[in-house]
Amino acid sequence: MTDLSATTGVTDRPSGTGAAWDLVSGGPAYERISDFLSRQAPETPCLVLDLPTVRHRYAGLRSALPDARICYAIKANPEPRVVDELVGLGSSFDVAGLGEIELCLARGAAPESISYGNTIKKRRDIARAYEHGVRLFATDSEPDLDNIAAAAPGSRVFCRILVDNKGSRTPFGRKFGCPPETAVRLLGRARELGLDPYGVSFHIGSQQLDPDAWEHGILAAREVFEGLAGRGIALRMVNLGGGLPAAYTQSAPPLQEYATRIEAALDRHFGADRPELLVEPGRHLVGDAGVLRSEVVLVTPETGSDRRWIYLDVGRYNGLAETEGEAITYRLRTSRDGDPVGPVVLAGPTCDGDDVLYESTEYELPETLRAGDWVELLSTGAYTASYSSVEFNGFAPLPTHCVDGDERTERP
Amino acid sequence: MTDLSATTGVTDRPSGTGAAWDLVSGGPAYERISDFLSRQAPETPCLVLDLPTVRHRYAGLRSALPDARICYAIKANPEPRVVDELVGLGSSFDVAGLGEIELCLARGAAPESISYGNTIKKRRDIARAYEHGVRLFATDSEPDLDNIAAAAPGSRVFCRILVDNKGSRTPFGRKFGCPPETAVRLLGRARELGLDPYGVSFHIGSQQLDPDAWEHGILAAREVFEGLAGRGIALRMVNLGGGLPAAYTQSAPPLQEYATRIEAALDRHFGADRPELLVEPGRHLVGDAGVLRSEVVLVTPETGSDRRWIYLDVGRYNGLAETEGEAITYRLRTSRDGDPVGPVVLAGPTCDGDDVLYESTEYELPETLRAGDWVELLSTGAYTASYSSVEFNGFAPLPTHCVDGDERTERP
């Protein structure tokens, strides 16, 4: 068993990150990945995904929120092998656009399992989704609703409302969602347009560290239900969005705590009239399944400081887009763990001044680390490979390899 | 002739942006692009590059800085047709990594025309570059210098020094460059290691709006020259880096003003001992050659404000990475230009809350703009297509089409 809890690389390491959030109970997943890396010695940088971890996470969520329909937010990682796993488990899918719909269908997902969750869509993409059999659409504006009515007649729609994102490491700002009173108007209009006003969605921000964050969304959803009931329309569904965390350096409560608080809020605001539930996990299902292996390109001293700059062969433009603003702080392992550590700045390999991963966040890494050594970024299964640039600075996109128990397969 | 100066889309429009910086003298380039778009009606979003503009810009720079060797910073746009043009014109190339070296060579560039300008490189990449015939390398640290000495024996090296980036829209921070005194030490050591200590480089930040910004870099370079002269080493080259602007909404002085100030600073600090000069334009050669055509996906009112949100089918993850922090503010044209305008927020199409282009910058666009209309982002030839993500949210990378006078060719 490899104890990963000892190697976050962060000076002011929070306590309580614990095994519950680790690469699934600490050992076997990491050992499978590590074994693959030593046997195959793939070129770095590369992402290795442990498929049993994805299955384990799906089962855990299934059991924590047994009434919720799980719609995997495929944008987190559209790796076909991950989609295959989730199709096999009976998951539904939250998609952002036509490309993702076609990927799901190509991997055997049923059209009824697809929720077109993007409120920004071209009318012709709605039409194409409808031709593919998709019948469930998010909306938050009148023009989009009109498009759905015209291009996907009779479909179910849910309205996304705007809620507070406090507590999220990557909040959404005001790009999506409308006030509850607008939702009442839009869903009323949906009925007039021949659509099926199905429910309400909200998103409390990705990597949400406060399990109480869902409370006000559920309350706001209840208000929309009541507003529509006053117009003789019975909504049936609340979509709890995403936000469930992966194991980065910040401490996050265990999944059960999220489930308990969400269930309590539902009881409080809906009582016996419990609606159907949807949940849209992305990061939570795949984040902890991934390890990104990189190589140290260069170690240089910082002028006038005791810090070193560690340049890796992975950076913001070939996989680590979520280090923008140092929002997501990955746990690290290195090939020199155990040696004395000192403060570092971590940067990527491109000629771009913005390609610095962590300069404010206080990471410490072994003093012995040098070019050619490896650094692993843990819990990098979400929002990494698919964010890679096509060829910025002539660097190739981050390749993904999958491991699965005894069988080890590779997909570049 | 299309007058583009009237259509920046920005409320507080600076004066003086003028024709000198426009899509090469205003009309013909834009007309070629526009003609291509109406004839071919390619799927949006797409980037259309006008190759005559690239040639025109190269010739302009050649004439403004006749003594400087022009090394195109290929990272700005690695489109093979652009490389072809520049190879044909006798340009040299500033490359960030092996991928770019191999692209240049594949398009017919001579190895002697290549400057490996990234200070962060693996020893095996240096070795591979050397095998390809590359003999000119940037450095700014001892470990990198040792790698060059080991893997590219006898090569010319120049040392990048750290200078102030004030006045740049996209400054570099502290990722690259060393203090002048370190440069003296490193270039002295280069000689001991059997390398050829060739000169000094600096970069005053991309899209530099102050033509005086080069002054202190040239002065610092002079200090390094003197420091080495004291050790019996005669440096021969000053690399002025990049920084020359493209025509965004901010006013930029004409190229001749940059050239005059740079020449004056060289006279002041080097006098009759004028060194060889290198210059690394990227943005300046290709930025204004590009028009990015996008489609309006949705227009929605902002709650509690008179602004509208305009959602385009292009955003930060499929071409507009440089809108991060609203650093680069593109000039816009729309299919409704001429109609009364009002304030807007511009956002991209993905389910990502960060995929907002301009929220603080005060853009105004026609009140009549609606889904299906087009919006063009001007001067988008640099740092767009190659930054696209491979498939984030299932959206394809930004395709590039090239136009060239009468001959119109397409490269998806």
Side-chain angles (χ1 to χ4, degrees):
Chain A
M1 283 277 201
T2 312
D3 177 14
L4 296 181
S5 63
T7 54
T8 73
V10 171
T11 314
D12 183 18
R13 202 176 131 258
S15 59
T17 306
W21 290 108
D22 236 327
L23 269 170
V24 180
S25 37
Y30 182 76
E31 308 249 312
R32 276 190 293 272
I33 289 172
S34 197
D35 183 51
F36 170 82
L37 287 167
S38 28
R39 281 186 199 219
Q40 305 278 336
E43 269 204 68
T44 66
C46 69
L47 176 66
V48 187
L49 280 179
D50 182 63
L51 297 175
T53 297
V54 177
R55 295 195 288 267
H56 182 100
R57 270 294 157 81
Y58 184 87
L61 185 57
R62 174 81 292 136
S63 135
L65 290 170
D67 297 335
R69 177 176 163 197
I70 298 174
C71 298
Y72 172 55
I74 191 171
K75 69 179 81 67
N77 194 327
E79 162 60 38
R81 290 285 308 268
V82 169
V83 179
D84 292 348
E85 288 296 326
L86 291 168
V87 168
L89 292 165
S91 181
S92 290
F93 296 90
D94 164 48
V95 305
L98 206 51
E100 291 184 349
I101 291 173
E102 290 171 352
L103 170 60
C104 288
L105 296 174
R107 308 310 289 197
E112 308 80 53
S113 72
I114 293 173
S115 168
Y116 199 153
N118 196 341
T119 57
I120 308 156
K121 38 200 182 297
K122 294 180 181 175
R123 183 187 287 210
R124 60 182 179 275
D125 287 353
I126 298 170
R128 193 88 191 94
Y130 186 77
E131 282 165 30
H132 282 310
V134 176
R135 296 290 182 273
L136 179 59
F137 297 84
T139 193
D140 65 359
S141 72
E142 199 163 307
D144 179 60
L145 189 66
D146 290 347
N147 282 338
I148 298 170
S155 291
R156 286 187 296 175
V157 290
F158 58 91
C159 188
R160 181 164 171 170
I161 55 176
L162 186 59
V163 297
D164 186 7
N165 276 203
K166 197 166 163 247
S168 162
R169 295 292 300 176
T170 61
F172 276 107
R174 296 188 298 174
K175 183 175 175 187
F176 305 102
C178 62
E181 56 276 20
T182 306
V184 171
R185 185 171 55 73
L186 289 174
L187 289 169
R189 182 173 164 79
R191 165 68 57 85
E192 292 162 21
L193 293 169
L195 294 166
D196 175 7
Y198 180 43
V200 176
S201 75
F202 60 89
H203 202 303
I204 41 60
S206 199
Q207 185 69 9
Q208 176 55 258
L209 300 178
D210 176 9
D212 282 324
W214 280 259
E215 163 89 32
H216 60 286
I218 291 168
L219 172 59
R222 175 71 215 184
E223 290 168 16
V224 179
F225 271 61
E226 283 170 0
L228 270 300
R231 298 179 175 211
I233 295 172
L235 297 182
R236 288 117 58 208
M237 186 276 288
V238 171
N239 180 338
L240 302 165
L244 296 173
Y248 306 127
T249 64
Q250 301 89 4
S251 180
L255 175 61
Q256 194 49 54
E257 199 155 325
Y258 287 83
T260 303
R261 308 288 183 91
I262 288 170
E263 292 288 351
L266 286 164
D267 284 346
R268 201 149 42 240
H269 301 300
F270 284 90
D273 297 331
R274 174 70 72 101
E276 298 171 39
L277 296 177
L278 255 65
V279 62
E280 295 170 342
R283 192 184 299 281
H284 182 69
L285 293 186
V286 296
D288 294 337
V291 170
L292 198 163
R293 173 71 78 103
S294 72
E295 181 181 320
V296 176
V297 179
L298 203 64
V299 180
T300 67
E302 182 173 74
T303 305
S305 135
D306 64 341
R307 292 198 301 190
R308 292 159 295 146
W309 280 62
I310 309 274
Y311 297 93
L312 303 179
D313 62 1
V314 68
R316 281 192 52 196
Y317 299 103
N318 59 341
L320 299 177
E322 287 211 310
T323 59
E324 180 186 337
E326 311 194 14
I328 297 295
T329 49
Y330 299 107
R331 291 171 302 134
L332 306 179
R333 291 197 78 217
T334 79
S335 51
R336 304 272 183 182
D337 281 357
D339 289 354
V341 299
V344 300
V345 176
L346 278 161
T350 67
C351 279
D352 194 298
D354 285 332
D355 187 14
V356 174
L357 309 175
Y358 303 116
E359 195 170 1
S360 310
T361 311
E362 296 184 343
Y363 275 88
E364 297 205 328
L365 289 180
E367 303 277 11
T368 48
L369 207 63
R370 65 200 57 176
D373 287 343
W374 56 254
V375 171
E376 287 173 353
L377 297 103
L378 307 184
S379 297
T380 36
Y383 302 110
T384 48
S386 63
Y387 272 80
S388 291
S389 71
V390 285
E391 57 173 349
F392 186 60
N393 272 222
F395 293 110
L398 186 69
T400 300
H401 309 284
C402 292
V403 297
D404 188 359
D406 285 336
E407 172 213 358
R408 284 171 186 83
T409 56
E410 184 172 337
R411 276 187 46 95
Chain B
M1 282 277 200
T2 310
D3 178 14
L4 295 181
S5 63
T7 54
T8 74
V10 170
T11 314
D12 183 18
R13 202 175 131 259
S15 57
T17 305
W21 289 110
D22 237 328
L23 268 170
V24 179
S25 37
Y30 182 75
E31 307 249 312
R32 277 190 292 272
I33 289 172
S34 197
D35 182 52
F36 169 83
L37 287 167
S38 29
R39 282 186 197 218
Q40 305 279 334
E43 269 205 67
T44 66
C46 69
L47 175 66
V48 187
L49 280 179
D50 181 63
L51 297 175
T53 297
V54 177
R55 296 195 287 267
H56 182 100
R57 271 294 157 84
Y58 184 87
L61 185 57
R62 173 80 292 134
S63 135
L65 289 171
D67 297 334
R69 176 175 163 196
I70 298 175
C71 298
Y72 172 55
I74 190 171
K75 68 179 82 66
N77 194 327
E79 163 60 37
R81 290 285 308 270
V82 169
V83 179
D84 291 349
E85 289 296 326
L86 291 167
V87 168
L89 293 166
S91 181
S92 291
F93 296 90
D94 165 47
V95 305
L98 207 51
E100 291 184 349
I101 291 173
E102 291 172 351
L103 170 60
C104 288
L105 296 174
R107 308 309 290 196
E112 307 80 54
S113 72
I114 293 173
S115 168
Y116 198 153
N118 196 341
T119 57
I120 308 156
K121 38 201 182 297
K122 294 180 181 174
R123 183 186 286 210
R124 61 181 178 275
D125 287 352
I126 297 170
R128 194 89 190 93
Y130 186 78
E131 282 165 29
H132 282 309
V134 176
R135 295 290 182 272
L136 179 58
F137 297 85
T139 194
D140 66 359
S141 72
E142 199 164 307
D144 180 60
L145 189 66
D146 290 346
N147 282 338
I148 297 169
S155 291
R156 286 187 295 175
V157 290
F158 57 91
C159 188
R160 180 164 172 172
I161 55 176
L162 186 59
V163 296
D164 187 6
N165 277 201
K166 195 163 165 252
S168 162
R169 296 292 300 175
T170 61
F172 276 107
R174 296 188 298 172
K175 184 174 175 187
F176 305 103
C178 62
E181 56 275 20
T182 307
V184 172
R185 187 172 54 75
L186 288 174
L187 289 169
R189 183 173 163 79
R191 165 69 57 86
E192 292 163 21
L193 293 169
L195 294 166
D196 175 8
Y198 180 43
V200 176
S201 74
F202 60 87
H203 202 303
I204 42 59
S206 198
Q207 185 68 10
Q208 176 56 258
L209 300 178
D210 175 9
D212 282 324
W214 279 259
E215 164 89 33
H216 60 286
I218 290 167
L219 172 59
R222 175 72 216 183
E223 290 167 16
V224 178
F225 271 59
E226 283 170 1
L228 270 301
R231 299 179 176 213
I233 295 172
L235 296 182
R236 288 116 60 206
M237 186 276 290
V238 171
N239 179 336
L240 302 165
L244 296 173
Y248 306 128
T249 64
Q250 302 90 4
S251 179
L255 176 62
Q256 194 48 54
E257 200 155 324
Y258 287 83
T260 304
R261 308 289 184 92
I262 289 170
E263 293 287 351
L266 286 164
D267 283 346
R268 201 149 43 237
H269 301 301
F270 283 90
D273 297 331
R274 175 70 72 102
E276 298 170 40
L277 297 177
L278 254 67
V279 61
E280 296 170 342
R283 192 185 300 281
H284 181 70
L285 293 186
V286 294
D288 294 338
V291 170
L292 199 162
R293 172 71 78 102
S294 72
E295 180 180 321
V296 176
V297 178
L298 204 63
V299 180
T300 67
E302 183 173 74
T303 305
S305 135
D306 64 342
R307 291 198 302 190
R308 291 159 295 146
W309 280 63
I310 310 274
Y311 297 92
L312 302 178
D313 62 1
V314 67
R316 281 192 51 195
Y317 299 102
N318 59 341
L320 300 178
E322 287 211 310
T323 59
E324 180 185 338
E326 309 192 16
I328 296 296
T329 49
Y330 298 107
R331 291 171 301 134
L332 306 180
R333 292 196 77 217
T334 80
S335 51
R336 304 273 183 183
D337 280 357
D339 290 354
V341 299
V344 300
V345 176
L346 277 161
T350 67
C351 280
D352 195 298
D354 285 333
D355 187 12
V356 175
L357 309 176
Y358 303 116
E359 195 171 358
S360 310
T361 311
E362 296 183 345
Y363 275 87
E364 298 204 329
L365 289 180
E367 303 277 12
T368 48
L369 207 63
R370 64 201 57 175
D373 288 343
W374 55 255
V375 170
E376 286 173 352
L377 298 104
L378 307 185
S379 297
T380 35
Y383 301 110
T384 49
S386 63
Y387 271 82
S388 291
S389 72
V390 285
E391 57 172 350
F392 187 59
N393 273 223
F395 293 110
L398 186 69
T400 300
H401 309 283
C402 292
V403 298
D404 187 359
D406 285 337
E407 173 213 358
R408 284 173 187 81
T409 56
E410 185 173 335
R411 277 187 45 93

